[in-house]
Amino acid sequence: MAKLKVHFEYPMHCQSEILYEYLASAEGLAEWFADEVVEKGDDFYFSWNGGEPERATMIRYKPESFVRYRWEADEGTKNFFEMTIVIDEITNDLSLNITDFADEGDEEDVKQYWDNLIENLQIKLGAA
């Protein structure tokens, strides 16, 4: 069954250069996204609570703009998760936009998952 694309937007009070490092590097991702992150080329191995690593491949990126990953389990599908830095041209306010995929009926669970992750990121950055 096809998953549904979902979008979330979070205001961030920080510099785009710093935020990008937290989205695109193993060191940055380990600060808020997973307990441990190992980067091998375009492959990132994420571990939580000492469990087996899960692989996601960075499939697209633009420095200081966005990064897109695809989980190993989603290979062969159009599913991915993307984190995009958006700067409002008028106010210069910065936000982090998330695109992800959810099973039908799980959209609220996926939103809560990202809400918690981004809250951790905002705390790490002092960007709340």
Side-chain angles (χ1 to χ4, degrees), residues 28-45:
L29 288 162
E31 290 285 323
W32 67 280
F33 190 83
D35 294 334
E36 184 179 356
V37 182
V38 176
E39 182 179 351
K40 294 180 181 174
D42 289 339
D43 292 332
F44 289 73
Y45 296 85

Side-chain angles (χ1 to χ4, degrees), residues 3 23 29 31-32 38 43 55 58 68 74 78 87-89 92 105 107 109-110 113-114 118 122-123 127:
K3 293 184 175 187
L23 308 179
L29 288 162
E31 290 285 323
W32 67 280
V38 176
D43 292 332
R55 180 172 61 85
M58 183 187 294
R68 180 182 291 181
D74 287 330
K78 294 184 178 186
I87 301 173
D88 185 282
E89 291 181 16
N92 276 338
E107 299 92 341
D109 290 341
V110 171
Y113 172 77
W114 281 106
I118 301 304
Q122 289 171 326
I123 290 167

Side-chain angles (χ1 to χ4, degrees), residues 39-106:
E39 182 179 351
K40 294 180 181 174
D42 289 339
D43 292 332
F44 289 73
Y45 296 85
F46 299 92
S47 301
W48 293 269
N49 300 319
E52 283 295 311
E54 295 184 37
R55 180 172 61 85
T57 302
M58 183 187 294
I59 56 174
R60 290 189 66 201
Y61 70 94
K62 181 178 177 186
E64 296 179 32
S65 181
F66 78 92
V67 62
R68 180 182 291 181
Y69 296 94
R70 176 169 289 128
W71 290 110
E72 182 175 21
D74 287 330
E75 287 181 1
T77 72
K78 294 184 178 186
N79 300 344
F80 59 86
F81 67 98
E82 182 173 279
M83 299 173 282
T84 305
I85 298 168
V86 178
I87 301 173
D88 185 282
E89 291 181 16
I90 297 171
T91 65
N92 276 338
D93 289 342
L94 186 145
S95 62
L96 178 61
N97 291 357
I98 304 295
T99 303
D100 200 354
F101 287 79
D103 290 321
E104 190 170 345
D106 288 344

